[in-house]
Amino acid sequence: MSILEEIEKIKLFALEEISKAQEISGLENLRVKYLGRNGNLTHILRSLEKYPLSDRKNIGKLANEIRLILEKEIDEKKKYSEDLEYKKLLENEKLDVTASINKISAGHLHPITKTLEKVEQIFSSMGFEIVDGPEVETEFYNFDALNVPAHHPARDMWDTFWLRQNEVKSEKLKVKSDGRLLMRTHTSPMQVRYMQKNKPPFRIIVPGKVFRREATDARHESTFYHLEGLMVGEDVNIANIKSVFEIFFSNFFEADAKIRLRPSYFPFVEPGLEGDVSCLICRGKGCRLCKNTGWLEIFGAGMVNQKVFIAAGYPKNKYQGFAFGFGLDRFPMMLYGIDDIRLFHSGDLRFLKQF
Ligand code: FA5
């Protein structure tokens, strides 16, 4: 085989090896093997003097051409392999934002909070302002200003937790002039607090926690939620109570809930009403929650007693208005079919996770 044929053969071998090489390191080895100091082609170029002068030019030319071809091939393949490796690297590193991972449980709103949001939204749509009040109240706002003086038998209905005064340091509550401190038994104290600072006409709701000394059962807790409502103007009348309740209950239960109004007594309203809603758990047939009556006692209401207006500093007989108080916990009980109020504050995850 002539030296020119031998060079061509080297070229064929080299090209085949380059095409088969998978990795950059493999290509570098081929560069050394063929083009390196002791490489096959370099060796031929270095030993040109051993060939006749007439052949040297052709041998050298061919060997150099092939050298350039191999260099180009190796460089191109190397660039291709580098791109490939980079692509692989990117593929391994890429972040799939849609991939499912082990979810961290973030919790959710308590059923009473959900209820409150819905109630607030309905009353807001009827133009009621949402007002907040203190949970620690004075005897004056919780009782006296609402026409429940000391030793009045109505105080028995709202027996509560009294505080030792030196345990509470609050400028706002004006302890000395407003009597002893207690955990509020209803959100009604905000009637007078609000009226002292605002003039009619207005309509407000006051949601919040209330406290009572109770022997608890399926319908009674010692800590529960109330929602007070108050609408005052010069011509507000009892028909407004009925229409507000009808709109509210049909929106809240998204069902045909029946309402029953009964005469009742609350010292701060005259006349006073008790409002029942047909039990949505048993649909009126009778169950543990409704004590087999088919009705749930949900709210107290009535026209504001003029004595309350006077306690707030309003002139007698100038204004009239209605007030009502809901037990808020009983709403989710009916909505979700919960038959024991004590579950709400039990902290039992098996219960809470259902909502
Ligand atoms: C009152 O507290 C009055 N302040 C309501 C009111 C406001 C009447 C304005 C008139 C005008 P009562 O004690 O009935 O009323 O409580 C109101 C509602 O709270 C009840 O109808 C009942 O649904 C709920 N409730 C009462 N006691 C408890 C309790 N221990 N646990 C859970 N809910 C209760």
Side-chain angles (χ1 to χ4, degrees), residues 145-203:
L146 294 173
N147 194 29
V148 191
H151 313 302
H152 191 290
R155 285 210 181 187
D156 291 347
M157 298 195 294
W158 297 298
D159 198 5
T160 186
F161 306 98
W162 294 86
L163 278 80
R164 279 192 218 114
Q165 288 186 15
N166 59 4
E167 282 177 4
V168 180
K169 294 175 190 131
S170 172
E171 289 290 307
K172 277 193 204 149
L173 292 169
K174 293 193 282 163
V175 177
K176 274 186 200 131
S177 57
D178 296 341
R180 294 178 296 160
L181 291 176
L182 50 93
M183 301 306 292
R184 67 177 175 191
T185 56
H186 44 187
T187 43
S188 304
M190 275 311 286
Q191 289 187 20
V192 171
R193 279 187 184 277
Y194 186 86
M195 287 195 284
Q196 281 177 331
K197 291 190 180 149
N198 297 275
K199 290 273 164 277
F202 61 79
R203 47 185 96 171

Side-chain angles (χ1 to χ4, degrees), residues 157-158 185-186 188 191 212 214 219-222 224 226 228-229 266 268-269 273-274 297-302 323-327 329-330 341:
M157 298 195 294
W158 297 298
T185 56
H186 44 187
S188 304
Q191 289 187 20
R212 291 187 191 179
E214 287 277 6
R219 302 189 315 153
H220 294 89
E221 256 290 14
S222 54
F224 57 101
H226 253 188
E228 182 82 7
F266 298 96
F268 32 92
V269 285
L273 302 166
E274 195 84 57
E297 173 204 326
I298 294 282
F299 59 91
F324 58 84
F326 286 160
D329 308 56
R330 293 189 184 165
I341 192 173

Side-chain angles (χ1 to χ4, degrees), residues 59-241:
I59 297 167
K61 192 171 167 240
L62 184 65
N64 269 324
E65 273 172 14
I66 287 174
R67 180 189 178 82
L68 289 175
I69 289 171
L70 296 185
E71 256 169 12
K72 193 168 165 245
E73 275 301 302
I74 289 171
D75 283 348
E76 273 176 10
K77 184 79 192 278
K78 195 176 159 197
K79 169 124 191 5
Y80 173 76
S81 301
E82 275 171 356
D83 287 351
L84 214 65
E85 278 184 22
Y86 186 58
K87 220 168 135 193
K88 263 193 214 158
L89 198 77
L90 284 186
E91 257 167 28
N92 288 340
E93 280 189 356
K94 81 179 170 194
L95 182 68
D96 181 358
V97 287
T98 64
S100 70
I101 50 164
N102 290 337
K103 282 193 188 129
I104 299 165
S105 160
H108 57 74
L109 295 178
H110 192 279
I112 293 181
T113 310
K114 284 188 189 170
T115 306
L116 185 56
E117 284 183 353
K118 192 168 176 184
V119 169
E120 287 180 348
Q121 187 261 319
I122 299 170
F123 275 107
S124 298
S125 74
M126 288 194 272
F128 281 77
E129 185 193 343
I130 300 161
V131 174
D132 215 10
E135 288 176 4
V136 174
E137 231 346 322
T138 65
E139 191 174 5
F140 172 75
Y141 287 109
N142 198 83
F143 292 125
D144 301 80
L146 294 173
N147 194 29
V148 191
H151 313 302
H152 191 290
R155 285 210 181 187
D156 291 347
M157 298 195 294
W158 297 298
D159 198 5
T160 186
F161 306 98
W162 294 86
L163 278 80
R164 279 192 218 114
Q165 288 186 15
N166 59 4
E167 282 177 4
V168 180
K169 294 175 190 131
S170 172
E171 289 290 307
K172 277 193 204 149
L173 292 169
K174 293 193 282 163
V175 177
K176 274 186 200 131
S177 57
D178 296 341
R180 294 178 296 160
L181 291 176
L182 50 93
M183 301 306 292
R184 67 177 175 191
T185 56
H186 44 187
T187 43
S188 304
M190 275 311 286
Q191 289 187 20
V192 171
R193 279 187 184 277
Y194 186 86
M195 287 195 284
Q196 281 177 331
K197 291 190 180 149
N198 297 275
K199 290 273 164 277
F202 61 79
R203 47 185 96 171
I204 59 166
I205 53 166
V206 190
K209 238 185 241 171
V210 298
F211 311 83
R212 291 187 191 179
R213 187 168 170 272
E214 287 277 6
T216 63
D217 60 28
R219 302 189 315 153
H220 294 89
E221 256 290 14
S222 54
T223 300
F224 57 101
Y225 281 82
H226 253 188
L227 184 116
E228 182 82 7
L230 181 66
M231 181 170 168
V232 179
E234 289 192 10
D235 53 4
V236 176
N237 59 55
I238 217 160
N240 298 126
I241 302 185

